Amino acid sequence: MTEFDDFDLAASTVTGLVTAVRADQWAHPTACQDWDVRAVVNHLAHGNAKVAFWAGAGPPVPDGDYLGPSPVSAFAASVAAARAVLAAPGLLARQVTTPLGEVPGVFLVHMRVNEYLAHGWDIADATGQPTDLLPDLAAQALAQWRTRFGSTPRQPGGPFGPEIPAPPDATAADRLAAFLGRKAVNG
C-alpha cells in the first residue's frame, strides 16, 4: 500500500464514523478532555485545513468553527481539500514546515493518518460505534507514536495523557488509544 492508500482508507473510515453520528450525539463527551464529538470532528477539519499552510500552499489557518451548520458535509469537504493538497506533484519528497519542524512532505500524510486513527477512536467510542479501526494502520500508527514519544513523560494539559495499560486482548486501535492516554467514555 502507498501513503495515499493509507490516507484514503483512514479518511474514508473516519468519514464513515462522522456520517454515522446522530444529531443527539454531537454534544457527547469524548476521551479528549473538554472536547465533545463536534469539537473532535472540528479539530480534524481544522487539521485538514492546516495541511495547505504546512505544505506552503496557503495562508495560516486560524482557530474557529470549520463545520458550520452541516458538520458531515463540511468534514468530508475538508478531507477532500487536504487530499488535493497532499497530491500536489513533488510534495511528498520536498521539505515542509510543521509544528514538529522541517520534515519531508510525506510526513503530512502520516500526520493525517495518525490523527484520523486517534480521533476516529474518540468519535467511535463516544458514539457507541466499534473502536476496532483498521488494525494494520492502527498498529503502524502505534509504532510511530512510540518512536515519537519514547519514554518521555507527557506534560499535564498536553494533547496526550500518560499511557494507560491496555488489556492483553485489546485491539490495535484500543492499544493505540491507551498509549495516547485515552480512557473509554462509552464502555
Side-chain angles (χ1 to χ4, degrees), residues 91-125:
L91 175 68
L92 299 184
R94 71 176 170 79
Q95 292 292 109
V96 297
T97 303
T98 72
L100 302 174
E102 292 284 318
V103 295
V106 70
F107 187 79
L108 292 176
V109 177
H110 296 295
M111 278 178 58
R112 296 317 308 144
V113 169
N114 289 348
E115 283 277 304
Y116 291 155
L117 289 166
H119 291 304
W121 186 92
D122 296 327
I123 296 163
D125 171 61

Side-chain angles (χ1 to χ4, degrees), residues 152-179:
T152 305
R154 299 179 199 161
Q155 299 301 317
F160 306 108
E163 182 175 2
I164 296 170
D169 62 344
T171 68
D174 290 340
R175 285 193 314 274
L176 172 63
F179 180 76

